[in-house]
């Protein structure tokens, strides 16, 4: 530390040794990158959604960014719900479900009912809800049914898939 005066100017100079610490954000990002790197290729991912556009988007996005060609899409009609549960339990490692599966008239199913079936059949993979209904109340319903993670339909597919990968790696390591 020094203090000097030249005419009317006073100059203060100081030196200090600093040690840079890694921020918690950097640590979290590093852990996330490690989890993403550990995500296995070619996992079987089973999805059910009543929207044809959502089914196409899921299939394209999961094969593009999910590291697998093993994407099984269901939900064209209500009869596919039992096939979804059967296939998911048999080969699935990740299940992605829409909450409101509506097929016209009185015909509708709830994703949470299918989640409960997966849990009852001892499915040990990651269960994800992808729904336009993502209020705190809805999210509590999904978690109570047995879902591990919840994605609003407003979340970009790329972000959803990245978060799904991280959740899967952490799920299987628990």
């Amino acid at each position: 530390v020094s203090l000097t005066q030249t005419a009317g100017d006073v100059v203060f100079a100081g030196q200090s040794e600093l040690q840079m610490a890694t921020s918690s954000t950097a640590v979290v990002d590093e852990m996330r990158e490690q989890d993403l790197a550990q995500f296995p290729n070619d996992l079987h991912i089973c999805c059910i959604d009543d929207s044809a556009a959502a089914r196409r988007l899921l299939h394209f996005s999961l094969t593009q960014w999910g590291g697998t060609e093993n994407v099984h899409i269901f939900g064209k009609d209500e009869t596919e719900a039992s096939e979804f549960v059967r296939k998911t339990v048999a080969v699935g490692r990740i299940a992605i479900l829409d909450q409101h599966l509506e097929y016209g008239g009185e015909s509708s199913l709830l994703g949470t009912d299918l989640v409960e079936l997966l849990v009852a059949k001892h499915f040990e993979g990651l269960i994800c809800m992808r729904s336009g209904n993502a209020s705190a109340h809805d999210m509590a319903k999904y978690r109570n049914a047995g879902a591990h993670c919840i994605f609003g339909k407003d979340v970009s597919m790329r972000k959803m898939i990245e978060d799904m990968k991280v959740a899967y790696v952490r799920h299987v390591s628990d």
Side-chain angles (χ1 to χ4, degrees), residues 47-51 54 58 84 96-103 109-115 128-133 142 153:
C47 309
I48 187 165
D49 199 302
D50 60 333
S51 162
L58 281 163
F84 164 79
I96 302 174
L97 303 90
D98 182 20
Q99 170 63 350
H100 294 284
L101 303 166
E102 298 173 352
Y103 299 104
L109 300 166
L110 293 176
T112 46
D113 292 340
L114 298 177
V115 168
C128 305
M129 293 298 294
R130 182 174 177 271
S131 180
N133 305 45
Y142 306 151
K153 287 195 175 177

Side-chain angles (χ1 to χ4, degrees), residues 27-43:
V27 171
V28 168
D29 288 347
E30 187 176 310
M31 289 172 55
R32 182 177 175 83
E33 291 304 315
Q34 288 173 2
D35 290 339
L36 287 168
Q38 290 177 20
F39 184 78
N41 289 328
D42 297 322
L43 287 182

